[in-house]
Amino acid sequence: MHLHKVYHRLSLLSFSARSSPSIFSLSPPVILKLRPVNSVRSLNSTSMSASKFRYLVPINAVAAEDSGGASNGSVSSSSTPPPTESEDDLTLGVGYRLPPPEIRDIVDAPPLPALSFSPHRDKILFLKRRSLPPLAELARPEEKLAGIRIDGKCNTRSRMSFYTGIGIHQLMPDGTLGPEKELHGYPDGAKINFVSWSQDGRHLAFSIRVEEEENSSSKLRVWVADVETGNARPLFQSPDICLNAVFDNFVWVNNSTLLVSTIPLSRGDPPKKPLVPSGPKIQTNEQKNIIQFRTFQDLLKDEYDEDLFDYYATTQLVLASLDGTVKEIGLPAVYTSLDPSPDGKYLLISSIHRPYSFIVPCGRFPKKVDLWTSDGQFVREICDLPLAEDIPIAFSSVRKGMRSINWRADKPSALYWVETQDGGDAKVEVSPRDIVYTEPAEPLEGEQPAILHQLDLRYGGISWCDDSLALVYESWYKTRRTRTWVISPGSKDSSPRILFDRSSEDVYSDPGSPMFRRTPAGTYVIAKIKKGHDDESYYIILNGSGATPEGNIPFLDLFDINTGSKERIWQSDKEKYYESVIALMSDQEKGDLCLDQLKILTSKESKTENTQYYILSWPDKQACQITNFPHPYPQLETLQKEMIRYQRKDGVQMTATLYLPPGYDPSKDGPLPCLVWSYPGEFKSKDAAGQVRGSPNEFPGIGATSALLWLARRFAILSGPTIPIIGEGDEEANDRYVEQLVASAEAAVEEVIQRGVAHPNKIAVGGHSYGAFMTANLLAHAPHLFCCGVARSGAYNRTLTPFGFQNEDRTLWEATGTYVEMSPFMSANKIKKPILLIHGEEDNNPGTLTMQSDRFFNALKGHGALCRLVILPYESHGYAARESIMHVLWETDRWLQKYCVSNTSDVKADLDASKDDLSKGTTDSESKAVASSGGGGAEMSDHECEGFHSITRSSL
């Protein structure tokens, strides 16, 4: 697979650090989001430092539901001035509201551009971004089909963000940037997506859409631009040839030809829904198959939906040259992936086909992978996988048959793939569990695929170098074990050996990941380095996050793959700054790379200085700054940030980041109202749970819905206090979830009170998704700690997600007590503190249906709780529209001002009441929590993990 293809898909799939080592190469296009955002916690927080990846944006800039709320800026015409407030307005809610100016000004700050480096690292694109979109864009009709949402008018995924312009800068020999050259020739107001460099870096391809009259087409058209002149023009002379971007969009086959997914010219109007159904909707399991799956949304419902899905997803592939030559290849089909071989001679084409399913999304539909020549001639079928409705819910389960079919990066046209030996079921014990195969694109008659490597854990990816070296990754979720193997792909006499064998959640032992260099074919392989021109020994460079008890200190190690010896050649400044390595910049050189010619791209930031980028050159390691972006929110430039450590009563070490407003002095100003914002996490050991993640010197990124916005309202913010739920050995962590949750919250609250920065009567708790679940549980089981709560887009009744949720893969029937005791819905009668519930009306995240908040609110209201429910029209799991985001901030600020800042309740009375309830044994689970509050804990992961495992399995 060409590595830039990975970036096209980052918006659709989530990758762990080990399962996609190519991500660490940051190969072209290197895309950097220059403004840190308050993103949700990484799925694999124990892998390589995620901090540098927060600057990455997918090249296509497709806005997944969670990304919209993280951008900044304003759409001045999209909101009306706030009406005059009255108590009735505040209680009932009238229209969209705006938060106070001190919050609004931060959110409305103009967004900085994203950066994209050319393949030869000699030019940089400044991709201009707009501010928050108006609600009108989210209100556009969308088709919810097969687990995806489609904008029928554009024939692409709905709710795409876009770039508004492209500036080109030359990277000068001295490391500075030349003057900006603006890309020109396209229509005013064009929305730009899918920016892609040609392999030689001379041309750009991108899509453009222009908002036209209401009833006219706004389909995407493919444009190309000459990088030297900045002149852009349509790729196709005919205006009737439009892009179909429901799945893949286009890819460079060579320096002058693109393979484009287009809307078939013969396609007519969309199918019309029959007024009278042809019959009842029937599903059957008369074969008594065991089919379990999580709560997928937006699935196909009937034959009409199947026809509609085919209508929008069917593609005609077209080869288009820069000279105007156009050639249709293949028959129209639902093509999902287009991958040219490194030598440009072949195309690896993936498609899905009927029979479709009404119970799983399109990633599990029957999948066909074919090999074509680059001019569209069919060569052979690689595989045709059946419908996969029966993938087990156990983590590390996968689809049966061939998966992860890709091109070897170190060969002109060699394929590799993996096949499971356990039927895809993680609960089946077998050795080997996965086998990795390789073969040429056109094997000789009778030639069988070669076994490259056999694995006892689950395959997690390969980093290629050459015939003498490749690294193969495997891991097992249940035990958190991860291993890296060294193999010699071209030698049958060389035995594979384990290079690293460790716990994936032990961040202190992470050795780092290899850096990559570009090949003449435009692929990326592990970079081999010599210490000197006369040196016969080769080394690789390991780029690590450098987790330590004092925080992350990123590093580069020169690593001898044969002896295991290391030499540290670079390390971040640990006193004031946080620096990280983004990419190898000297990878375009021919021949061997020598250490004294090494050149890398780094980022540098501090608590008060926003991220800037530098070129660091050996041998003197001189750093040249290439960006000079202004502080995104100067009003908070002098905010105070401290990474704090404290201990839970069972001895588990805890960490959090404490933020205090600019100019705050605890001795003069006294304790502040405090907002605790967090997200539980699951661990297999107390030691791993207590490890420090992140850096005290990182710049505090403030997203559009970030809790840090309330620094401008003079709050203390305790951000991301670890909430470890630990299940050691064979213990299931969630069986003591409430106990460990409360113990973690108690430790955090005691710490901020002891420091004198938080008023004990004025501590609020909040979170998003699984953090909202946490918030509701804390108000139910630890009412003595918090005065109120804010819960956004959460799930509260686990019986509505009976086949697993978050990191729980037991079913409701296997762990009934756990499901019930963990559900705050079941404890709605205990919630006496004010709780604000917010949810997107169109939430499509598995597990967090909008119904969860609606039913929880009714349960609370039925017991007389002080509660408020806000449903955001058109919003999904993350919030995107400016009107919605501003209103969320207004609602949150009003709640905090009314029930936190103005709170006069007696904390001691609450504490005594809570103890009385517990001593009376209000519930068995609570009594157990008190009796064993010195016990272990466990961790939950991110809301994306709510559907990650199922999505990943279905995509393999």
Side-chain angles (χ1 to χ4, degrees), residues 570-621:
W570 176 86
Q571 184 170 284
S572 171
D573 176 353
K574 59 184 178 182
E575 299 302 324
K576 179 181 178 182
Y577 292 100
Y578 176 77
E579 303 168 283
S580 59
V581 174
I582 307 300
L584 192 64
M585 297 296 285
S586 50
D587 59 0
Q588 77 275 15
E589 301 291 338
K590 294 182 179 179
D592 297 329
L593 290 178
C594 291
L595 184 59
D596 61 2
Q597 297 175 326
L598 191 64
K599 189 181 295 184
I600 60 174
L601 174 70
T602 66
S603 67
K604 185 176 181 180
E605 60 196 90
S606 74
K607 297 176 184 178
T608 57
E609 299 171 60
N610 57 304
T611 305
Q612 306 293 350
Y613 295 90
Y614 295 77
I615 302 293
L616 186 66
S617 302
W618 269 252
D620 54 5
K621 300 182 185 178

Side-chain angles (χ1 to χ4, degrees), residues 31 57-59 61 114 127-129 161-165 190-192 195:
I31 308 295
V57 290
I59 187 69
L127 303 171
K128 316 293 176 65
R129 299 186 293 144
S161 64
F162 56 87
Y163 300 117
T164 58
K191 299 178 178 180
I192 301 170
V195 182

